[in-house]
Amino acid sequence: MDLPAILHEQIRVHKRPELASYTTLGVGGSAPWMVEPVSKRELLLCVSELRRACLPFRVIGGGSNLLVSDSGISEIAVYTGRMAGIEDHGSLPNALRVESGASLARLISVARGKGLAGAEVLAGIPGTVGGAVVGNSGGRYGCMGDLVVAVTLVGEDGVCREMTTDSSDFGYRVSPFQDTVVVDAVVQLEEETPSTILERMNKVLSEKMLAQPLAAKSSGCIFRNPGHASSGRLIEEAGCKGERRGGASVSVCHGNFIVNDGSATASDVWQLILDIKQTVSKKRGEELQLEVKVWGDP
Ligand code: EPU
C-alpha cells in the first residue's frame, strides 16, 4: 500500500511504528503505518482519505489507557500528539480551544499561565485532551466532562461538526464521543490567581503521588470501579498486590495498577489481568470489568 500517495504526500507517515513507545505502559507490537497530522486541516484530510480508500484506522493520543497486544494491530494508527495547539476561544470569556493531542499537563500549565482555573483538578493524569474527552478521564476532584463545553469531531459519517456539551452528557469514564475522531475541545475555566491554581494543583498531585505509582510505567487503573467499591481495594483484599507475571506486576502502592519493570510483554500483562479477575471473582465475588482499552489479540 502506498500510504504517502493516498495522503497526497502531504502528511508525515512512517512505516511499522512500535506502538509500545506510544503507550505509557510500554508494551505491544507495531501498526502497519502511523500517520502524524500536525493540524486540524491535516487530521481532516487524513481521516477523509483513509475512509475514501477504505483503510481502517485507530486514533492514538497519549496512549495512557491502552494495552496493545504483542502482535500489534492490523489497522493504521493515527497519532494526534503533534496536534497540540491551545488558544483563547475568542468569543467565550475564560474559555480555551484545545487541540486533541495537547497533553492534560500542558493544558493545566497554559491555563495557569493565563490565570484560568479548573483544569488543575486533572493534575497527574497522563494522556491527551482528546483521550480525556472520549474516556471522561478524572479523579477525586472532577472529570474532563465537567470542563468541556464543546467538542469538534469527525463522526462515522465523515462530517466534521462542533457539538456543545455539558457535564450531564458524560458518565463514569464514558462520553458520547466513543466512536468519533476528536479534533479539539473547548474548556470553560474560571479566573483565578496563578499562585492559587498552583497550590491546588500541588495538593491534587501530592495526594495522587501517595496513592498511585505515578513514576512507574503503567496504563493507570486497569479495571473500572464496580458501583461504589474500589477495584484497587478489592484486589488488595484478594491478596493480589505484588503478584507478578514476567516483567509485569500488581503495584504494591495501588492494587488497580499493573506496572511494567521495563521487561514486560503485553502477554505478561494480559495473564496478570486474567489472574486478578479470577482471584477477585473467587475471593470477593466481584467480576471486574476492564477500564483499559485493548488493541489486537492479547
Ligand atoms: N484502596 C485500597 N487499596 C488499594 C487502592 C485503594 O485499600 O490498593 C482504598 C483507598 O485507600 C481508598 C479507596 O480504596 O479508601 C479508594 O481508592 P482511591 O482513592 O485510590 O480511588 P480508586 O477508586 O481506587 C479512582 C479512579 C482513579 C482516580 C482516583 C482518584 C477508577 C477505576 N479509578 O481510583 O482513576 O485517580 O479514583 O481519587 O475509577 C484511572 O481511571 O486510571 C484512575 C487511576
Side-chain angles (χ1 to χ4, degrees):
M1 174 211 321
D2 187 357
L3 188 62
I6 289 169
L7 299 174
H8 315 294
E9 313 282 343
Q10 284 187 31
I11 309 176
R12 181 181 160 135
V13 297
H14 58 110
K15 221 171 179 171
R16 289 255 150 248
E18 288 300 329
L19 295 178
S21 52
Y22 288 84
T23 71
T24 54
L25 182 57
V27 301
S30 59
W33 288 92
M34 180 172 277
V35 190
E36 299 189 2
V38 298
S39 63
K40 177 176 172 177
R41 188 195 69 79
E42 285 197 2
L43 178 64
L44 296 182
L45 175 73
C46 151
V47 169
S48 68
E49 293 305 323
L50 292 179
R51 287 203 170 129
R52 192 203 306 265
C54 295
L55 293 171
F57 64 90
R58 292 172 184 257
V59 178
I60 184 164
S64 58
N65 192 33
L66 185 59
L67 169 61
V68 179
S69 77
D70 292 319
S71 52
I73 57 171
S74 54
E75 299 88 348
I76 292 167
V78 175
Y79 174 66
T80 55
R82 293 184 188 278
M83 231 187 78
I86 300 179
E87 58 183 25
D88 291 332
H89 182 270
S91 43
L92 273 180
N94 302 332
L96 299 176
R97 185 178 291 278
V98 191
E99 287 186 329
S100 66
S103 68
L104 287 175
R106 207 168 136 260
L107 166 61
I108 295 166
S109 151
V110 169
R112 176 161 59 93
K114 290 173 179 283
L116 293 175
E120 70 281 1
V121 298
L122 305 175
I125 300 179
T128 57
V129 165
V133 167
V134 173
N136 191 21
S137 301
R140 183 168 301 167
Y141 299 102
C143 302
M144 192 66 193
D146 301 336
L147 305 175
V148 176
V149 293
V151 176
T152 307
L153 56 90
V154 189
E156 295 223 47
D157 54 5
V159 176
C160 179
R161 56 175 79 87
E162 185 176 84
M163 275 178 62
T164 54
T165 60
D166 67 49
S167 57
S168 66
D169 295 323
F170 294 82
Y172 171 58
R173 301 293 188 270
V174 290
S175 74
F177 307 110
Q178 309 294 327
D179 296 312
T180 68
V181 178
V182 173
V183 178
D184 64 36
V186 177
V187 293
Q188 180 66 63
L189 304 166
E190 286 169 10
E191 270 178 59
E192 188 50 277
T193 57
S195 60
T196 306
I197 300 170
L198 182 63
E199 227 171 84
R200 279 194 213 141
M201 188 186 95
N202 285 339
K203 180 174 183 290
V204 175
L205 263 182
S206 55
E207 283 181 15
K208 231 174 149 54
M209 279 160 75
L210 283 178
Q212 299 179 2
L214 294 192
K217 285 172 186 262
S218 86
S219 54
C221 285
I222 291 282
F223 298 102
R224 298 167 64 81
N225 281 346
H228 293 293
S230 157
S231 292
R233 178 181 294 202
L234 288 168
I235 293 166
E236 175 169 348
E237 288 170 353
C240 298
K241 273 187 166 179
E243 206 176 290
R244 173 173 284 277
R245 283 276 192 157
S249 61
V250 180
S251 166
V252 289
C253 171
H254 192 297
N256 203 6
F257 282 66
I258 289 180
V259 295
N260 172 9
D261 69 7
S263 67
T265 62
S267 164
D268 293 337
V269 175
W270 187 247
Q271 290 306 319
L272 203 47
I273 286 173
L274 298 180
D275 291 347
I276 297 169
K277 270 176 80 72
Q278 198 180 33
T279 309
V280 171
S281 167
K282 201 159 104 193
K283 296 198 176 161
R284 307 289 298 123
E286 194 70 61
E287 303 304 320
L288 295 178
Q289 305 298 324
L290 278 184
E291 171 173 313
V292 73
K293 291 210 169 101
V294 179
W295 282 8
D297 179 3

